Amino acid sequence: MKPNHNMKCNADQTGTYLDRLAAEAENAAQGAGVRPMAAEALRLRQAQAAAAIPADCGPDIAPSPARGGFVLVRNVELLPVGTDKVEAVHRGYGGREAIRRADAFDAMLAAAARRKQPAPLTPGQIAIGRRYHDLVELLSADGTKLSSLQASKGGPDGRDWMDRRLGLSAELDGMRKRIGSGVAMSVRRVRPSARGATSARIISDRTLLDAVCLKGRGLADVLVFHGWSVKGAHRDALSQALSAALNRMIGYRG
């Protein structure tokens, strides 16, 4: 194969061809033209850097840009110390940390920590919101039992799978019934001048929960998407409605 003159490199150059293209784009003067190949190489390198796994997690977790944002999780176990005390001990394999998908609740907690304010939701409310997300995701992707008809026998696997799916569906239906048909933001209760926009639409409790738990949207994003202005009073109203709906999902009745 005839070598491409663009791929030639000097002996003192290091890194792969993709690395050199990315470096070319980084070193280009601002406003100057950058070759499309170099710009694409820089984009790929940035995506790879964003998906890099921290050293605390060890080498066994493969980086994946499609994974999206994640947070580190310490596997902590409470062990008894003496007769009346316990100690939190990190029990991760080899002292490593795990990763977990980042969601809207992580963003809310981080924003509250930056403002040095208390957490807007309790651990129980966050746990039920994440359980709601996991149930919807599982049932959406678990609609077909993939098995070979040639190798299938009259065993109980199909019944066990169906029983499990029916149980998860019943749990999800119970959550949605407890959410109810209430309204988080009612257009009629707020003057047009206070809404900040003439296109504001009603935000139901179910819509709010689906936006936060399933789509990963923050409260400001929910307001903007439904035509409301983003201000403190509207944020507080949505936050209170979200907290109350999550409590109902747990089983609390206000």
Side-chain angles (χ1 to χ4, degrees), residues 22 25 27-28 48 81 91 101 103 112 166 185 192 205 215 221 239:
N27 295 331
Q48 185 180 38
V81 177
R91 306 290 284 182
R101 175 187 59 87
D103 54 24
L166 288 174
M185 293 290 288
D205 291 338
K215 300 177 183 178
D221 297 330
S239 180

Side-chain angles (χ1 to χ4, degrees), residues 19-241:
D19 292 330
R20 295 194 296 275
L21 284 176
E24 175 187 329
E26 288 179 339
N27 295 331
Q30 190 173 10
V34 179
R35 288 193 298 161
M37 288 183 62
E40 178 64 10
L42 179 59
R43 186 189 70 81
L44 293 175
R45 281 292 175 259
Q46 291 172 343
Q48 185 180 38
I53 303 298
D56 294 340
C57 298
D60 295 334
I61 302 178
S64 174
R67 181 183 287 122
F70 59 85
V71 294
L72 299 184
V73 178
R74 294 179 63 87
N75 297 310
V76 177
E77 182 178 350
L78 296 178
L79 299 179
V81 177
T83 58
D84 57 352
K85 294 182 180 180
V86 294
E87 180 182 2
V89 179
H90 183 207
R91 306 290 284 182
Y93 172 76
R96 300 172 185 172
E97 297 187 3
I99 62 174
R100 173 182 55 76
R101 175 187 59 87
D103 54 24
F105 298 114
D106 293 311
M108 292 179 185
L109 295 176
R114 287 195 300 269
R115 296 192 297 266
K116 297 183 179 180
Q117 295 178 349
L121 300 170
T122 66
Q125 292 170 341
I126 294 174
I128 197 66
R130 286 172 176 164
R131 177 63 177 172
Y132 178 63
H133 168 276
D134 293 343
L135 286 174
V136 173
E137 184 179 68
L138 177 60
L139 292 172
S140 299
D142 192 40
T144 303
K145 181 176 182 294
L146 301 178
S147 60
S148 173
L149 294 177
Q150 290 80 4
S152 62
K153 299 180 181 179
D157 293 343
R159 184 178 67 251
D160 293 343
W161 172 82
M162 183 57 70
D163 291 343
R164 172 176 171 273
R165 181 173 177 82
L166 288 174
L168 295 176
S169 298
E171 182 181 354
L172 179 59
D173 290 342
M175 287 184 181
R176 286 174 170 166
K177 288 179 181 178
R178 290 192 292 271
I179 293 173
S181 57
V183 175
M185 293 290 288
S186 176
V187 175
R188 293 182 178 181
R189 297 179 182 177
V190 183
R191 296 191 307 273
S193 58
R195 294 197 297 264
T198 58
S199 60
R201 306 188 303 275
I202 292 176
I203 306 175
S204 67
D205 291 338
R206 171 73 181 277
T207 300
L208 174 60
L209 278 168
D210 286 351
V212 174
C213 300
L214 305 184
K215 300 177 183 178
R217 291 176 178 168
L219 299 183
D221 297 330
V222 176
L223 289 170
V224 171
F225 183 80
H226 289 85
W228 292 77
S229 62
V230 180
K231 59 182 183 180
H234 295 166
R235 283 176 180 267
D236 292 343
L238 272 191
S239 180
Q240 293 173 9

